[in-house]
Amino acid sequence: MQSCHTEDHLTLYGHRFTSRLLLGTARYESPRQLLDATLAAEPALLTVSLRRQAAAGQTFWDLLRKAGRPLLPNTAGCLTAQDAVTTACMARELFETSLIKLEVIGDDANLQPDPFGLIEAATELVKLGFHVLPYCTEDWVVCKRLLDCGCEALMPWAAPIGTGQGPRNPAGLRELRKRIPDVPLIVDAGLGLPSHACQVMEWGFDGVLLNTAVSRASDPIRMAKAFADSVRAGRGAFLAVPMVAQELAVPSTPEFGRPFAPDSVVMASGSLMSEFVKS
Amino acid sequence: MFVIVNGHELLVPDQQTLRELLSLLSPTAPFAVAHNEEFVSQANYGERRICPGDRIDVVSPMAGG
């Protein structure tokens, strides 16, 4: 009997999602391409940002409505906790959601999160009733502090934003997963290939968030579908509980009854199948 | 008086509330507003007084990762 996990949902702050893929909306060649990639990926959430009003604002809003997916606003580009809190407040009013992808950037070169600003902003936003999804590193102490201040999900990076390098610190990510088994952990940033997404899902992460890996592929629509499939495959493998790797070879074909072997057992007529069934 | 709207200096009538200023600017909906880096909810536009040199940011949805 096959096991079926039709009830396997991603739950973030009480919101249930059938998909475990979160998709960014930036760097596509056209609005049509973004829309088609969204249709192909069927993401749980689409990430969006806020910027000073320009002519394209209304067009993008119309596009989001057409996409019909729940939205996750971010605080991208914020360099201080105060900027991030103000941006989050504007996003909550505009997008009518308390979910916020909290980014407080501490370094221009690798867009690494500022752990101090991140914890300060998360603390304030939780007090203001936000459902905070902090973009962080795999640093255990920072993650613990974020949980202590009331975050109910974390988004550790795989690698710096937009690099497509895949997990740079697999041991650190896996250790984080092991130490925080019951809180949703979504790997955000730095994934470049569906195999990267599949891998972190196999490790037990609850979801992945990516943007550039899809939007900068030669065929973003095909890549969106590939990522969606890989996330499902990785999750399926995690739920199936993989075999334990062995040091030495273990033959998969039964040794019993091997022809031409000097120690092969001589079976009575018709008994080979019955032995196999018994074993 | 001069105020800074989205980083640009702008000459507007004195003694304005944020609601009056936004009426003058006519931003395209949907938008949200910060006054001197502080969020102001729609419900408070009418109470927020604008002074010379104040900074107003009007933001809209944009693509993001």
Side-chain angles (χ1 to χ4, degrees):
Chain A
M1 186 72 182
Q2 276 189 323
S3 172
C4 186
H5 293 279
T6 52
E7 294 303 312
D8 178 45
H9 291 102
L10 169 65
T11 303
L12 299 171
Y13 290 96
H15 302 276
R16 282 157 54 96
F17 304 99
T18 52
S19 169
R20 291 174 177 273
L21 172 62
L22 287 67
L23 189 64
T25 54
R27 306 188 69 189
Y28 291 86
E29 284 187 357
S30 68
R32 182 74 245 175
Q33 195 179 64
L34 165 59
L35 208 54
D36 288 344
T38 303
L39 287 171
E42 297 183 26
L45 292 159
L46 280 178
T47 57
V48 290
S49 71
L50 286 179
R51 287 293 178 263
R52 284 173 168 166
Q53 187 159 104
Q58 181 62 45
T59 310
F60 185 66
W61 181 245
D62 292 341
L63 187 70
L64 292 177
R65 295 174 71 174
K66 203 177 285 183
R69 310 302 297 191
L71 300 178
L72 174 61
N74 68 27
T75 63
C78 289
L79 303 176
T80 68
Q82 186 52 52
D83 283 356
V85 170
T86 302
T87 302
C89 289
M90 291 193 287
R92 179 162 64 178
E93 182 179 79
L94 208 158
F95 295 110
E96 298 179 337
T97 175
S98 292
L99 288 170
I100 189 77
K101 176 188 166 183
L102 177 61
E103 290 186 38
V104 182
I105 299 301
D107 182 75
D108 283 342
N110 64 4
L111 302 179
Q112 184 171 337
D114 171 355
F116 309 101
L118 192 64
I119 293 165
E120 183 186 345
T123 303
E124 180 64 18
L125 288 170
V126 168
K127 282 182 194 164
L128 293 171
F130 280 88
H131 297 157
V132 182
L133 296 156
Y135 163 62
C136 54
T137 68
E138 71 280 9
D139 186 293
W140 159 245
V141 176
V142 173
C143 289
K144 186 173 179 303
R145 294 277 188 274
L146 289 166
L147 297 177
D148 290 346
C149 78
C151 293
E152 295 180 16
L154 301 175
M155 301 213 295
W157 71 353
I161 294 170
T163 60
Q165 295 174 0
R168 289 213 300 197
N169 182 6
L173 281 170
R174 297 185 79 168
E175 184 183 324
L176 186 68
R177 175 72 287 181
K178 200 171 176 182
R179 297 189 74 172
I180 309 177
D182 301 323
V183 173
L185 296 180
I186 294 168
V187 174
D188 175 12
L191 300 177
L193 293 169
S195 57
H196 298 153
C198 189
Q199 178 136 70
V200 298
M201 294 303 293
E202 286 174 2
W203 294 341
F205 283 86
D206 296 278
V208 300
L209 193 163
L210 47 96
N211 188 149
T212 310
V214 168
S215 64
R216 304 314 289 172
S218 292
D219 185 343
I221 294 110
R222 190 183 289 262
M223 190 59 88
K225 175 74 164 56
F227 266 104
D229 290 344
S230 71
V231 168
R232 275 192 290 270
R235 179 65 181 175
F238 170 72
L239 292 175
V241 186
M243 64 167 282
V244 178
Q246 306 293 313
E247 286 292 325
L248 298 173
V250 179
S252 49
T253 302
E255 286 289 286
F256 184 78
R258 183 165 56 93
F260 319 121
D263 58 347
S264 187
V265 176
V266 177
M267 305 295 296
S269 173
S271 66
L272 183 61
M273 182 56 75
S274 61
E275 285 296 319
F276 176 75
V277 170
K278 270 192 276 182
S279 66
Chain B
M1 65 178 170
F2 280 99
V3 293
I4 312 293
V5 177
N6 284 353
H8 299 287
E9 203 172 51
L10 201 66
L11 181 62
V12 299
D14 287 345
Q15 300 294 316
Q16 293 248 350
T17 64
L18 183 56
R19 184 181 301 286
E20 289 163 340
L21 178 65
L22 290 170
S23 172
L24 197 70
L25 297 171
S26 299
T28 307
F31 62 87
V33 178
H35 175 220
N36 292 335
E37 281 88 53
E38 182 190 348
F39 167 65
V40 183
S41 69
Q42 288 181 33
N44 292 325
Y45 287 169
E47 297 163 12
R48 184 61 67 110
R49 307 296 307 181
I50 305 298
C51 298
D54 281 0
R55 298 174 307 282
I56 292 95
D57 281 281
V58 182
V59 297
S60 290
M62 193 57 62

